[in-house]
Structures are given as C-alpha cells and as structure tokens.
Amino acid sequence: MEAYLIAIFITVLIYMLLAGGLALQYGFTGLINFGHVGFYAIGAYTSALLALQGVPLAVCFLAAALVSCLSAYPLGVIALRLRGDYLAIVTLGFSEAVRMVIQKEEWLTRGVHGIPGIPRLFGGYGSGLTVDVLILAALLATNILVFLGIRKIIRSPFGRTIKAIRDNEVAVMALGKNPALFKTRSLMIGAALAGLAGAFTAHYLTFISPEQFVPLITFYVWIAIIVGGVGSLKGVVAGTVILMVFLEGSRFAREFLFLDISEVQMASLRFLIIGLGLVCCVLYRPNGLFGGAPAGGRQ
C-alpha cells in the first residue's frame, strides 16, 4: 500500500508540472493548446535516448526541457496567427504528428516496441521504496521551484502583458505590442515544463512507448486546470489532486459500495463515476475552485 501511495503522489506531481505549463499557456495567455502531450513525449524521448548513450541525467533533463521548448517555436510562428478552434486543431495535429514519428522511426525510437532499460533517477542510491521516495522529493522540489517561477512570471511586465492579451488582444496591439511574440514565448515556456515532466516520467518508469502519449493525457490536464480554476496557480494544484482522486479513487468504488458486479462491469461504471463527478464540479463551480479568468479565456 505504501508503494502504491508513493506512486500516486509521483503521478500527481508529474501531472502538476504538465498542468503548470498548460495553465501558463491557457489560463494566463488564452492559448487553446490541445497538443500539450506532444511536448511531453518529446521531453521523455529526448531524455531517454540521451541517457542510454551515457549522458549524465542532469544534462538529460536540461536537454528534455530545451528541446521541447525549441520545438514549440516553429509551431508558435506558424500556428499563433490562428485563433480559438483553429489553433486547437493545429496543436492537436502537432501532438499526433509527434506520436506518429515516434511510432514510425524505429531506428531511433524502437517504434511501438518502446524503449526499455532507461536509467532510473537516483538508481545508484538504492532500490525500491528508497528510490521512489527520492524521486518524489525531487519532483516536489521541482514543482515548488516551477510554481514560484510561474508566479514571478505572471507578476512581471511580461505576465501583465500576456494577461492583457488573454483579455483583449486588439487593445494590446493598439498599444504597440506584438501579441504573437508574447504568445510564442508563453507556448515555449509551457512546452519546456511539459518536456521536464516527460523526463521525470521516463526516468521513473524506465520504459516509454507511444501509447503513453495519447491525446487523452492532454485532456486530463485540461480537466485539472478547469476543475481547479483557470488563471489560478492554487487551482492547478487543487485540480490535479482532484483529478487523481477521481481517476484512482474510483478504482476502489466496488469495495466501498459493496457492488456485486464483475471487474469488466466495474471498469465501465468507473468511467461513469469519473464523468459524473467532473460534471458536478463544472455545474456547481463553473469557474473552478479557485477560478481567476473566465473559463473561456479570450485571445
């Protein structure tokens, strides 16, 4: 049970990194990014492939964040001239393109077979729970630093500008600012955080494959920031925790509710429970628990 709880906490903190990046893009800049998992995959594969070549893990993590960040630049230049639904479609297509490249380029990524034997973070300091606790501590420290950094960003002149772009892009242009430049930077910072989350995932699980980077991951992160409250860092934390409570807590509904049904039936019922819980959150707290900006953040 102890190992399971630590694994859940690690998963929560990885999703929290992903949600922090998406919150900066959508909650504070108004960018509808449905391709966040693409940057997550780029970070995971970058770090894993470098580590297997003997590169120190610290360098692998930095490279994962940097490559993910740089991969967002051309997407930003091309896509950020688009708005709303069109931007969402382009970013979703980007993430699927990344996944298809991972699947097809077997000479580099081993395709659908995945990459096994990735060096584990803190693997030289012991095994089992000891390493898991160290990974948990590293993720906790990383999240604290990241969220302090995001708070500093949104309180800076850059942060005030991107919030103005979210609320009224035309007014920002009238003041002589270039919204595309600010939006591209915001997209790149969020992508770097997703890449960092991918590196943690790769070196925690020690195995990655294309099936781990499907669009559903992006939508889980969207659920977290919407339930917690768009435009709120407290909301990112709360929403991620609530999402994991729904996803993992529903696994035990059969025992708690004393239901006399099969595992297959319970699997279907679990999705119903998750869906109903999230619908109730949206109905009774439409702006989320700590809602800042309106849920439909304008561009």
Side-chain angles (χ1 to χ4, degrees):
M1 187 64 178
E2 192 178 53
Y4 175 73
L5 289 176
I6 291 174
I8 294 301
F9 286 132
I10 288 173
T11 304
V12 167
L13 291 172
I14 289 173
Y15 270 83
M16 210 171 282
L17 276 178
L18 286 167
L22 188 59
L24 182 64
Q25 295 169 351
Y26 176 65
F28 297 105
T29 316
L31 300 176
I32 303 178
N33 176 10
F34 283 174
H36 204 47
V37 72
F39 304 115
Y40 180 46
I42 289 170
Y45 273 85
T46 297
S47 189
L49 292 170
L50 289 176
L52 289 172
Q53 298 302 314
V55 177
L57 291 190
V59 178
C60 294
F61 274 72
L62 289 174
L66 182 60
V67 172
S68 297
C69 176
L70 293 177
S71 68
Y73 178 76
L75 180 66
V77 171
I78 296 169
L80 293 184
R81 298 181 183 276
L82 304 172
R83 300 189 182 193
D85 299 340
Y86 298 102
L87 176 59
I89 292 168
V90 169
T91 53
L92 179 61
F94 165 78
S95 71
E96 282 299 280
V98 169
R99 192 163 66 90
M100 290 305 297
V101 169
I102 292 171
Q103 285 183 346
K104 298 300 182 183
E105 300 302 319
E106 296 188 11
W107 64 274
L108 179 64
T109 65
R110 285 177 46 87
V112 296
H113 302 292
I115 300 178
I118 301 168
R120 199 163 196 228
L121 186 61
F122 301 117
Y125 292 87
S127 60
L129 282 179
T130 302
V131 174
D132 287 351
V133 170
L134 289 173
I135 293 173
L136 178 62
L139 267 167
L140 182 60
T142 302
N143 271 280
I144 290 171
L145 291 174
V146 163
F147 278 81
L148 287 174
I150 293 175
R151 188 174 70 170
K152 189 173 182 65
I153 287 172
I154 62 179
R155 292 181 176 179
S156 68
F158 174 82
R160 290 192 290 272
T161 302
I162 61 174
K163 285 189 283 187
I165 291 170
R166 175 196 67 197
D167 295 332
N168 194 328
E169 184 174 335
V170 175
V172 173
M173 294 174 67
L175 293 173
K177 301 287 187 180
N178 182 1
L181 179 62
F182 287 91
K183 290 194 287 186
T184 301
R185 289 177 182 174
S186 180
L187 186 68
M188 291 175 71
I189 295 170
L193 296 180
L196 190 60
F200 271 108
T201 298
H203 296 289
Y204 167 59
L205 298 177
T206 70
F207 173 81
I208 53 174
S209 68
E211 289 73 26
Q212 293 169 272
F213 305 102
V214 294
L216 182 62
I217 301 298
T218 296
F219 295 111
Y220 278 158
V221 180
W222 271 96
I223 290 169
I225 66 171
I226 290 173
V227 169
V230 175
S232 167
L233 293 181
K234 290 186 292 185
V236 171
V237 176
T240 306
V241 172
I242 290 170
L243 173 68
M244 285 300 139
V245 168
F246 280 130
L247 292 179
E248 294 300 324
S250 60
R251 295 180 187 275
F252 304 101
R254 184 184 177 197
E255 287 75 18
F256 283 116
L257 299 177
F258 303 103
L259 298 174
D260 186 21
I261 59 176
S262 69
E263 291 289 346
V264 175
Q265 291 172 317
M266 188 60 225
S268 300
L269 182 60
R270 179 170 167 253
F271 283 107
L272 176 62
I273 292 170
I274 293 169
L276 285 175
L278 295 174
V279 167
C280 288
C281 285
V282 174
L283 283 176
Y284 293 104
R285 297 290 298 186
N287 289 330
L289 293 178
F290 301 96
R298 297 183 300 275
Q299 289 193 5

